[in-house]
Amino acid sequence: MLFKTRSAAVYGIDAHLIDVEVDFSTVVRDAETFSTVGLPDAAVKESRDRVRSAIRNSGFDMPPVRITINLAPADIRKEGSGFDLPIALGILGAYGALQPIDLTEFLFLGELGLDGTVRAVQGILPVAVAARQKGVKRLVVPTVNAREAAVVDGLMVYPVRSLIEVRELINGIATGQESIAPVQLDKSTLLDEIQDAMPDFSDVRGQHTAKRALEVAAAGGHNVLMIGPPGSGKTMLAKRFPSVLAPLMFEEALETTKIHSVAGVLNAETGLVTHRPFRSPHHTVSDAGLIGGGAVPRPGEVSLAHNGVLFLDELPEFPRNVLEVMRQPLEDGTVTISRASMSLSFPARFMLIAAMNPCPCGYFNDKSRECMCTPPMIQRYVSKVSGPLLDRIDIHIEVPAVQYRELRSGAAAEGSKEIRSRVLEARRRQHERFALAPEGAKRGRKIFANAQMSTQQIRLHCELASDAERLLERAMQQQGLSARAHDRILKVARTIADLSGETQIGVPHIAEAIQYRTLDRQYWS
């Protein structure tokens, strides 16, 4: 007898629906034989032992027949333990333990314990999205994963704890009496809790220049490098940076959640990433850990930071090869990982916030501590960060040690709420500008922030007043700035003008942008 159920397999951050076909054939003498075909991996092959024990310990019989499981299409590799539940249901259905019902509108996913309990699996959200696209109406998943799946509209998501519950659910639906109610999730309130619980910029004493630079970065989507001695507050500033960013839109949250779901780091209680991610890997991270990789490619830190912030503390301490692999995601917003059997792409559109000491000892130009480093030592230390990587960082800002008087000041510092309001207004101006830009200037690429402008768009949108033009020319000649620094200065100046509500870039905007090119001024000489 043949019985069919449906499940799904996840590749990258997308899922493909899989037909699970169960066939009973010749009766064998002592016990059933169990074989799985359709390109299963080791975890899928091992499911026969889990399924056999789960069925028996749930009070059902395993008939002494030859059981063949086919996972179709057979040319797609099947991975993970999520096929346990549909395989078990296929066996129950094949020997009549289920009421006659069309299961084509169902999709099942879950790992089985030996006692028949249904355990959580990774990648539920991509499966839910694929199910909706293919017209599947009912999704049966472990209780732990139910909120995550319920984020997707148009699906009835049933949370189950055991194989017995699934059988009762199917039989109840067949007779018109559902034993389990679908999960209801109020998505309108999920994103309302975002910013208020984050660390606030009002905690930061002093560092007005650094806070202003981070405000400019947030307004224009610029990458930032902070340079300062130990204890000056670089990490503290970076951790508060997400609090001034625009809240996640629902589609952004959905895309980010898919990545976290596949990586297995999603909070099951919320079911959705409700705030912009902040990832801070240690400098001992490998290139595979940062970019992603493995025999079966998984997302790395740059993808987990998608639509959020990637913070790299002690930037020169990262291995050179690890830093160099970031050039593609910083440029393209995606990461492509190629293996012999497959090639997968993961989104990686993030803002980079990096921090470093000015020299090996950390106290170059510090007024309270003497630096013991020689100029060649300082230059070698700074040169650990390659030119091509610095080329993708718009703002370099010095973060000096906080003076005692500022540290003990009772004056209230400006909070994240006030800064965020200016950032959102500047972003609104950019959205209007790029929405009205000629299609020819876009070159088919949709952009949302000044940092994403191409050379042609810089010429189109970065109009300089005559005195600002002379100031930029003088700075280029006197400080020996490169062509790439020229474009970075114009992008940052455009953002500063947006924060001021100005259409044309003036002298104050250019002057401030020039001050954010610390490394171009060769400060260590």
Side-chain angles (χ1 to χ4, degrees):
M1 179 178 289
L2 179 66
F3 195 87
K4 296 182 180 180
T5 59
R6 302 182 84 181
S7 190
V10 178
Y11 296 90
I13 61 169
D14 298 313
H16 300 278
L17 267 58
I18 303 297
D19 291 327
V20 180
E21 301 173 335
V22 179
D23 180 64
F24 284 6
S25 56
T26 310
V27 177
V28 294
R29 179 174 300 177
D30 297 321
E32 81 286 347
T33 61
F34 200 123
S35 62
T36 304
V37 297
L39 209 59
D41 74 344
V44 179
K45 290 179 180 179
E46 290 172 354
S47 68
R48 65 183 181 185
D49 297 316
R50 293 191 297 270
V51 167
R52 181 188 292 116
S53 297
I55 289 176
R56 287 175 173 163
N57 291 327
S58 297
F60 305 107
D61 294 326
M62 282 290 290
V65 295
R66 183 182 303 278
I67 302 174
T68 303
I69 311 294
N70 180 41
L71 306 177
D75 60 342
I76 297 178
R77 186 168 183 81
K78 321 303 186 304
E79 299 170 344
S81 57
F83 292 98
D84 290 3
L85 181 58
I87 289 175
L89 290 174
I91 294 173
L92 295 180
Y95 75 78
L98 301 179
Q99 292 283 346
I101 185 175
D102 182 12
L103 292 183
T104 57
E105 65 174 17
F106 286 79
L107 192 147
F108 303 93
L109 204 70
E111 177 185 334
L112 289 177
L114 299 185
D115 59 352
T117 56
V118 181
R119 296 173 176 170
V121 294
Q122 297 178 6
I124 286 290
L125 184 59
V127 171
V129 172
R132 181 184 61 180
Q133 292 172 347
K134 296 296 184 180
V136 175
K137 298 179 181 179
R138 304 175 190 266
L139 183 60
V140 181
V141 298
T143 301
V144 176
N145 297 125
R147 284 180 60 86
E148 178 185 343
V151 168
V152 180
D153 291 323
L155 284 178
M156 288 184 285
V157 178
Y158 297 93
V160 292
R161 294 183 175 86
S162 67
L163 184 58
I164 295 176
E165 280 191 7
V166 182
R167 185 227 188 188
E168 292 175 350
L169 171 65
I170 295 173
N171 289 344
I173 293 175
T175 58
Q177 297 178 342
E178 292 186 7
S179 59
I180 299 176
V183 174
Q184 301 295 326
L185 191 61
D186 185 5
K187 293 179 282 295
S188 62
T189 62
L190 283 177
L191 299 179
D192 293 342
E193 56 190 59
I194 299 177
Q195 310 287 2
D196 296 336
M198 293 184 179
D200 198 278
F201 267 110
S202 60
D203 302 330
V204 180
R205 299 293 179 182
Q207 301 298 6
H208 303 292
T209 302
K211 290 173 69 173
R212 169 63 176 177
L214 291 178
E215 177 183 339
V216 173
H222 304 286
N223 300 321
V224 180
L225 173 61
M226 295 184 288
I227 309 164
S232 59
K234 302 186 295 295
T235 301
M236 188 177 187
L237 287 163
K239 288 183 176 179
R240 282 150 181 77
F241 183 70
S243 67
V244 301
L245 296 176
L248 276 176
M249 301 299 290
F250 183 75
E251 290 301 322
E252 288 180 313
L254 200 63
E255 187 178 32
T256 305
T257 304
K258 287 172 66 176
I259 300 172
H260 286 235
S261 175
V262 169
V265 297
L266 182 65
N267 184 352
E269 294 182 0
T270 60
L272 186 73
V273 175
T274 57
H275 58 275
R276 295 194 179 274
F278 181 87
R279 305 294 299 184
S280 179
H282 192 260
H283 60 74
T284 56
V285 67
S286 65
D287 52 356
L290 188 66
I291 297 298
V296 179
R298 295 292 181 184
E301 291 291 337
V302 297
S303 294
L304 293 173
H306 181 62
N307 288 325
V309 177
L310 178 68
F311 176 49
L312 301 184
D313 201 4
E314 304 295 344
L315 188 64
E317 302 300 327
F318 284 79
R320 183 70 173 255
N321 66 301
V322 172
L323 294 179
E324 291 306 303
V325 295
M326 282 204 310
R327 288 159 57 179
Q328 182 203 357
L330 283 173
E331 190 73 24
D332 302 332
T334 60
V335 170
T336 301
I337 303 173
S338 298
R339 296 291 182 266
S341 59
M342 67 183 71
S343 179
L344 296 177
S345 293
F346 297 104
R349 188 174 60 251
F350 59 90
M351 292 182 61
L352 174 65
I353 305 295
M356 61 180 286
N357 295 333
C359 65
C361 76
Y363 295 103
F364 177 68
N365 274 346
D366 187 75
K367 296 179 180 179
S368 60
R369 299 284 295 272
E370 182 180 359
C371 175
M372 305 302 295
C373 305
T374 64
M377 291 171 60
I378 299 173
Q379 190 162 9
R380 281 195 302 271
Y381 179 77
V382 175
S383 64
K384 290 182 180 180
V385 184
S386 70
L389 181 59
L390 288 176
D391 185 28
R392 291 160 174 82
I393 300 178
D394 294 348
I395 296 176
H396 317 149
I397 184 68
E398 291 188 59
V399 184
V402 182
Q403 300 299 314
Y404 178 81
R405 185 172 299 176
E406 289 182 321
L407 193 63
R408 297 294 299 169
S409 172
E414 188 177 35
S416 296
K417 185 176 181 180
E418 294 78 12
I419 299 174
R420 186 168 67 247
S421 64
R422 296 194 295 268
V423 168
L424 293 178
E425 181 61 22
R427 281 295 181 110
R428 183 190 62 78
R429 295 190 180 97
Q430 293 169 57
H431 291 167
E432 292 177 354
R433 176 188 306 124
F434 297 128
L436 298 174
E439 287 298 324
K442 290 185 180 181
R443 292 185 177 179
R445 179 188 177 192
K446 190 174 182 180
I447 66 173
F448 304 95
N450 290 330
Q452 300 168 344
M453 287 192 293
S454 65
T455 302
Q456 184 179 3
Q457 289 162 336
I458 291 174
R459 296 194 190 100
L460 183 64
H461 300 302
C462 297
E463 180 184 354
L464 298 181
S466 57
D467 49 355
E469 186 79 56
R470 289 192 294 272
L471 175 61
L472 179 59
E473 180 182 5
R474 186 162 61 251
M476 293 285 293
Q477 293 174 350
Q478 292 180 355
Q479 298 184 16
L481 300 178
S482 64
R484 70 170 181 250
H486 169 270
D487 288 351
R488 303 295 177 191
I489 288 172
L490 288 178
K491 289 182 181 180
V492 174
R494 177 68 271 168
T495 300
I496 297 170
D498 288 337
L499 284 167
S500 303
E502 302 289 340
T503 303
Q504 190 178 56
I505 299 174
V507 170
H509 313 135
I510 287 291
E512 184 177 352
I514 291 172
Q515 296 306 308
Y516 295 146
R517 301 300 302 180
T518 297
L519 292 183
D520 288 333
R521 298 199 303 272
Q522 298 182 349
Y523 74 98
W524 60 82
S525 59

